[in-house]
Amino acid sequence: MKLLESRVRAEGHALDERVLLVDSFLNHQVDPELMLEIGKEFARLFAEDGITRVVTVESSGIAPATMTALVMSLPLVIMKKYPQRRNQEGLLETEVYSFTKNQPYILTVKREFIRPGDRVLLIDDFLANGEAAFGAIRLIEAAGAAACGVGAVVCKSFQPGKGKLLEKGYRVEALADVAFMQKNTIRFVGETL
């Protein structure tokens, strides 16, 4: 998505080969018009997949996932993060390791919000190591639903997440697919040197 790549290039800050700040428009301050365009693009990409529900992991995926659900006229389910198990009736839980925070957390969703037979689209702000995506997929599948795709606003393809998801047979669509990053340098998939 050229519009998004332009914003990443103009306002994103590669602090090093792992950290990309896009907090001026995606995950601290949010540009709602850009989020709407992102929602439209995900809706277009997954239009033929029979999606019945959009899911995201709190909190930075909420804005793009909301716009995707809005454009697709579908409910949005937000999976919650907790530092320890909740063990509540009707709550599905899985442990996820956060490389950003260098510690595990418990990802949860109420069983009533993802139903058997649902066809679920997972939308998140970043895809890097894939831990959050695989955690969400575990919960989706534990609910008896199908994980029909993963939409990442920004994917760091040089990290293992995208490859692992594709290897397991999950569809991945990245709107800004970063092939290489180092301090003050961002190169997208398909760009030449």
Side-chain angles (χ1 to χ4, degrees), residues 7 11 22-32 35:
R7 290 292 292 275
E11 297 176 45
V22 288
D23 54 356
S24 67
F25 61 87
L26 179 60
N27 54 18
H28 195 83
Q29 174 175 271
V30 175
D31 180 337
M35 293 306 110

Side-chain angles (χ1 to χ4, degrees), residues 53-100:
R53 202 163 297 272
V54 176
V55 167
T56 194
V57 174
E58 67 176 1
S59 67
S60 295
I62 293 173
T66 298
M67 292 305 187
T68 303
L70 177 70
V71 173
M72 296 179 89
S73 298
L74 295 173
L76 170 64
V77 177
I78 301 167
M79 293 183 174
K80 304 288 188 175
K81 298 176 187 177
Y82 294 99
Q84 59 192 19
R85 294 217 175 263
R86 312 269 301 163
N87 295 322
Q88 293 177 353
E89 189 174 328
L91 194 67
L92 296 170
E93 302 179 334
T94 190
E95 186 172 282
V96 174
Y97 186 79
S98 170
F99 284 92
T100 307

Side-chain angles (χ1 to χ4, degrees), residues 95-99 105 127-136 138 161 164:
E95 186 172 282
V96 174
Y97 186 79
S98 170
F99 284 92
Y105 62 89
L127 175 58
N129 289 301
E131 295 297 317
F134 276 111
R138 284 194 299 274
K164 287 180 184 177

Side-chain angles (χ1 to χ4, degrees), residues 101-174:
K101 295 183 178 168
N102 197 30
Q103 65 185 22
Y105 62 89
I106 303 300
L107 186 63
T108 70
V109 68
K110 287 186 177 179
R111 188 180 295 273
E112 68 188 275
F113 297 133
I114 300 178
R115 300 182 185 124
D118 269 334
R119 296 181 55 78
V120 179
L121 172 59
L122 172 63
I123 300 293
D124 211 352
D125 62 336
F126 273 92
L127 175 58
N129 289 301
E131 295 297 317
F134 276 111
I137 289 168
R138 284 194 299 274
L139 294 178
I140 291 164
E141 293 175 348
C148 295
V150 176
V153 176
V154 178
C155 177
K156 294 189 273 182
S157 287
F158 57 90
Q159 291 183 296
K162 181 179 178 182
K164 287 180 184 177
L165 287 163
L166 293 171
E167 184 178 288
K168 295 287 185 184
Y170 297 105
R171 179 177 173 196
V172 177
E173 295 289 345

Side-chain angles (χ1 to χ4, degrees), residues 1 3 32-47 63-72 121 123 175:
M1 182 177 178
L3 173 63
E33 290 177 357
L34 178 60
M35 293 306 110
L36 181 56
E37 293 307 311
I38 286 168
K40 288 177 183 176
E41 183 63 6
F42 281 134
R44 183 189 71 76
L45 289 168
F46 291 97
T66 298
M67 292 305 187
T68 303
L70 177 70
V71 173
M72 296 179 89
L121 172 59
I123 300 293
L175 301 188

